[in-house]
Protein backbone atom coordinates (compact mmCIF):
# COMPACT_ATOMS: atom_id res chain seq x y z
CA UNK A 1 0.00 0.00 0.00
CA UNK A 2 1.32 3.43 -0.94
CA UNK A 3 1.07 5.32 2.36
CA UNK A 4 2.80 8.41 0.96
CA UNK A 5 0.07 8.84 -1.66
CA UNK A 6 -2.69 8.15 0.88
CA UNK A 7 -1.17 10.63 3.32
CA UNK A 8 -0.99 13.28 0.55
CA UNK A 9 -4.60 12.59 -0.41
CA UNK A 10 -5.66 12.89 3.23
CA UNK A 11 -3.89 16.27 3.45
CA UNK A 12 -5.51 17.50 0.24
CA UNK A 13 -8.99 16.47 1.38
CA UNK A 14 -8.45 18.10 4.78
CA UNK A 15 -7.36 21.30 3.02
CA UNK A 16 -10.47 21.17 0.80
CA UNK A 17 -12.66 20.60 3.85
CA UNK A 18 -11.15 23.63 5.61
CA UNK A 19 -11.49 25.68 2.42
CA UNK A 20 -15.14 24.66 2.14
CA UNK A 21 -15.71 25.61 5.78
CA UNK A 22 -14.12 29.01 5.22
CA UNK A 23 -16.20 29.52 2.07
CA UNK A 24 -19.32 28.61 4.06
CA UNK A 25 -18.54 31.09 6.84
CA UNK A 26 -17.38 33.83 4.46
CA UNK A 27 -20.44 33.56 2.23
CA UNK A 28 -22.79 33.56 5.21
CA UNK A 29 -21.21 36.62 6.80
CA UNK A 30 -20.75 38.71 3.65
CA UNK A 31 -24.19 37.83 2.32
CA UNK A 32 -26.04 38.74 5.51
CA UNK A 33 -24.15 42.05 5.73
CA UNK A 34 -24.86 42.87 2.07
CA UNK A 35 -27.69 45.33 1.53
CA UNK A 36 -28.02 44.90 -2.25
CA UNK A 37 -30.77 43.30 -4.31
CA UNK A 38 -31.38 39.58 -4.33
CA UNK A 39 -32.50 37.61 -7.37
CA UNK A 40 -34.02 34.20 -7.96
CA UNK A 41 -34.92 32.34 -11.15
CA UNK A 42 -38.11 30.37 -11.73
CA UNK A 43 -39.56 28.67 -14.76
CA UNK A 44 -43.11 28.78 -13.39
CA UNK A 45 -44.29 30.96 -16.28
CA UNK A 46 -42.20 29.26 -19.00
CA UNK A 47 -45.25 28.24 -21.08
CA UNK A 48 -47.41 31.26 -20.27
CA UNK A 49 -48.44 33.90 -22.77
CA UNK A 50 -48.11 37.13 -20.88
CA UNK A 51 -50.35 40.11 -21.36
CA UNK A 52 -49.36 43.76 -21.26
CA UNK A 53 -49.57 43.84 -17.45
CA UNK A 54 -46.59 41.47 -17.20
CA UNK A 55 -45.97 38.91 -14.51
CA UNK A 56 -48.03 38.89 -11.29
CA UNK A 57 -45.25 39.72 -8.85
CA UNK A 58 -45.15 41.39 -5.45
CA UNK A 59 -44.61 45.11 -5.02
CA UNK A 60 -40.98 46.15 -5.48
CA UNK A 61 -40.08 43.02 -7.47
CA UNK A 62 -38.78 43.26 -11.03
CA UNK A 63 -39.35 40.31 -13.40
CA UNK A 64 -37.32 40.10 -16.59
CA UNK A 65 -38.94 37.33 -18.70
CA UNK A 66 -41.42 34.46 -18.76
CA UNK A 67 -38.63 32.19 -17.50
CA UNK A 68 -38.48 34.75 -14.79
CA UNK A 69 -35.54 36.18 -13.00
CA UNK A 70 -37.14 37.93 -10.06
CA UNK A 71 -35.16 40.62 -8.26
CA UNK A 72 -36.03 42.46 -5.04
CA UNK A 73 -34.17 45.71 -4.35
CA UNK A 74 -34.87 45.89 -0.62
CA UNK A 75 -35.31 42.31 0.56
CA UNK A 76 -36.52 41.34 4.01
CA UNK A 77 -34.28 39.41 6.37
CA UNK A 78 -36.28 36.26 5.63
CA UNK A 79 -35.78 36.70 1.89
CA UNK A 80 -32.06 37.25 2.34
CA UNK A 81 -31.84 34.13 4.54
CA UNK A 82 -33.86 32.11 2.00
CA UNK A 83 -31.51 33.17 -0.80
CA UNK A 84 -28.60 32.13 1.38
CA UNK A 85 -30.34 28.81 2.01
CA UNK A 86 -30.02 28.09 -1.69
CA UNK A 87 -26.22 27.90 -1.58
CA UNK A 88 -24.97 27.29 1.96
CA UNK A 89 -26.32 23.76 2.53
CA UNK A 90 -24.25 22.39 -0.36
CA UNK A 91 -21.11 24.14 0.88
CA UNK A 92 -21.63 22.77 4.38
CA UNK A 93 -22.41 19.28 3.06
CA UNK A 94 -19.27 19.25 0.89
CA UNK A 95 -17.02 20.56 3.68
CA UNK A 96 -18.20 17.99 6.23
CA UNK A 97 -18.06 15.14 3.69
CA UNK A 98 -14.46 16.08 2.80
CA UNK A 99 -13.55 16.27 6.49
CA UNK A 100 -15.00 12.80 7.11
CA UNK A 101 -13.19 11.43 4.04
CA UNK A 102 -9.94 12.97 5.27
CA UNK A 103 -10.42 11.27 8.66
CA UNK A 104 -11.08 7.98 6.86
CA UNK A 105 -7.81 8.31 4.95
CA UNK A 106 -5.95 9.24 8.15
CA UNK A 107 -7.25 6.02 9.69
CA UNK A 108 -5.96 4.05 6.70
CA UNK A 109 -2.52 5.63 7.04
CA UNK A 110 -2.26 5.21 10.82
CA UNK A 111 -3.83 1.78 11.39
CA UNK A 112 -4.05 0.11 7.98
CA UNK A 113 -6.96 -0.37 5.59
CA UNK A 114 -8.70 -3.36 7.21
CA UNK A 115 -9.23 -2.20 10.77
CA UNK A 116 -12.17 -1.42 13.01
CA UNK A 117 -11.33 2.29 12.87
CA UNK A 118 -11.46 2.44 9.08
CA UNK A 119 -14.67 0.38 8.95
CA UNK A 120 -16.33 2.68 11.49
CA UNK A 121 -15.19 5.85 9.70
CA UNK A 122 -16.40 4.48 6.37
CA UNK A 123 -19.81 3.79 7.90
CA UNK A 124 -19.96 7.28 9.42
CA UNK A 125 -19.13 8.83 6.05
CA UNK A 126 -21.75 6.67 4.35
CA UNK A 127 -24.48 7.56 6.86
CA UNK A 128 -23.59 11.25 6.57
CA UNK A 129 -24.05 11.10 2.79
CA UNK A 130 -27.26 9.06 3.05
CA UNK A 131 -28.85 11.52 5.48
CA UNK A 132 -27.07 14.76 4.59
CA UNK A 133 -27.72 14.73 0.84
CA UNK A 134 -31.54 14.66 1.08
CA UNK A 135 -31.56 17.13 3.97
CA UNK A 136 -29.38 19.60 2.05
CA UNK A 137 -31.55 19.11 -1.05
CA UNK A 138 -34.72 19.76 0.91
CA UNK A 139 -33.30 22.90 2.55
CA UNK A 140 -32.16 24.26 -0.83
CA UNK A 141 -35.47 23.39 -2.50
CA UNK A 142 -37.58 24.82 0.31
CA UNK A 143 -35.50 28.02 0.42
CA UNK A 144 -35.88 28.51 -3.34
CA UNK A 145 -39.63 27.83 -3.25
CA UNK A 146 -40.17 30.18 -0.33
CA UNK A 147 -38.11 32.93 -1.96
CA UNK A 148 -40.02 32.65 -5.25
CA UNK A 149 -43.32 32.60 -3.33
CA UNK A 150 -42.34 35.72 -1.39
CA UNK A 151 -41.62 37.61 -4.62
CA UNK A 152 -44.50 36.21 -6.69
CA UNK A 153 -47.32 35.25 -4.31
CA UNK A 154 -49.42 33.71 -7.06
CA UNK A 155 -46.83 30.97 -7.56
CA UNK A 156 -47.15 29.64 -4.03
CA UNK A 157 -45.45 26.33 -4.76
CA UNK A 158 -44.74 24.00 -1.88
CA UNK A 159 -41.33 22.74 -0.84
CA UNK A 160 -39.32 21.06 -3.55
CA UNK A 161 -36.16 18.99 -3.66
CA UNK A 162 -32.95 20.23 -5.28
CA UNK A 163 -30.12 17.91 -6.18
CA UNK A 164 -29.73 14.35 -7.32
CA UNK A 165 -30.08 11.17 -5.33
CA UNK A 166 -27.16 9.24 -6.86
CA UNK A 167 -24.95 10.13 -3.92
CA UNK A 168 -27.42 8.46 -1.56
CA UNK A 169 -26.71 5.15 -3.29
CA UNK A 170 -22.97 5.77 -2.95
CA UNK A 171 -23.52 6.50 0.75
CA UNK A 172 -25.50 3.28 1.17
CA UNK A 173 -22.68 1.39 -0.57
CA UNK A 174 -20.18 2.92 1.90
CA UNK A 175 -22.38 1.88 4.85
CA UNK A 176 -22.61 -1.67 3.53
CA UNK A 177 -18.87 -1.84 2.83
CA UNK A 178 -18.19 -0.54 6.34
CA UNK A 179 -20.32 -3.32 7.83
CA UNK A 180 -18.63 -5.94 5.64
CA UNK A 181 -15.20 -4.63 6.67
CA UNK A 182 -16.21 -4.67 10.34
CA UNK A 183 -17.29 -8.32 10.06
CA UNK A 184 -14.03 -9.13 8.25
CA UNK A 185 -11.99 -7.47 10.99
CA UNK A 186 -13.84 -9.47 13.68
CA UNK A 187 -13.35 -12.72 11.78
CA UNK A 188 -9.62 -11.98 11.40
CA UNK A 189 -9.31 -11.22 15.13
CA UNK A 190 -11.15 -14.45 15.99
CA UNK A 191 -8.87 -16.40 13.65
CA UNK A 192 -5.74 -14.81 15.15
CA UNK A 193 -7.07 -15.66 18.62
CA UNK A 194 -7.45 -19.33 17.78
CA UNK A 195 -4.01 -19.77 16.22
Amino acid sequence: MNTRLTRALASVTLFLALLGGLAFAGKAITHMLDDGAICVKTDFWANASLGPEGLPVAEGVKATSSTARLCQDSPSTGQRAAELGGALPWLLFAAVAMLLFSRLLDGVVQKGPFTETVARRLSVLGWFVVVGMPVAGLVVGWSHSWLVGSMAPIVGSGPTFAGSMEFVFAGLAAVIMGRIMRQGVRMREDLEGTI
Side-chain angles (χ1 to χ4, degrees), residues 82-167:
E83 186 197 22
L84 201 54
L88 285 187
W90 295 126
L91 280 173
L92 182 61
F93 174 79
V96 174
M98 293 303 281
L99 181 64
L100 291 173
F101 187 63
S102 175
R103 289 192 33 80
L104 171 69
L105 292 176
D106 277 342
V108 169
V109 168
Q110 292 172 359
K111 304 205 182 221
F114 301 106
T115 61
E116 181 73 26
T117 301
V118 171
R120 186 178 63 252
R121 288 180 183 178
L122 182 60
S123 293
V124 168
L125 175 61
W127 279 118
F128 175 75
V129 171
V130 167
V131 174
M133 182 75 186
V135 168
L138 285 172
V139 170
V140 168
W142 180 84
S143 296
H144 182 267
S145 296
W146 188 88
L147 187 57
V148 169
S150 73
M151 291 186 188
I154 197 166
V155 175
S157 67
T160 58
F161 181 79
S164 63
M165 295 299 287
E166 289 87 8
F167 287 110

Side-chain angles (χ1 to χ4, degrees), residues 157-182:
S157 67
T160 58
F161 181 79
S164 63
M165 295 299 287
E166 289 87 8
F167 287 110
V168 172
F169 296 118
L172 285 173
V175 169
I176 292 167
M177 286 304 299
R179 290 185 68 92
I180 290 171
M181 285 177 64
R182 189 171 291 144

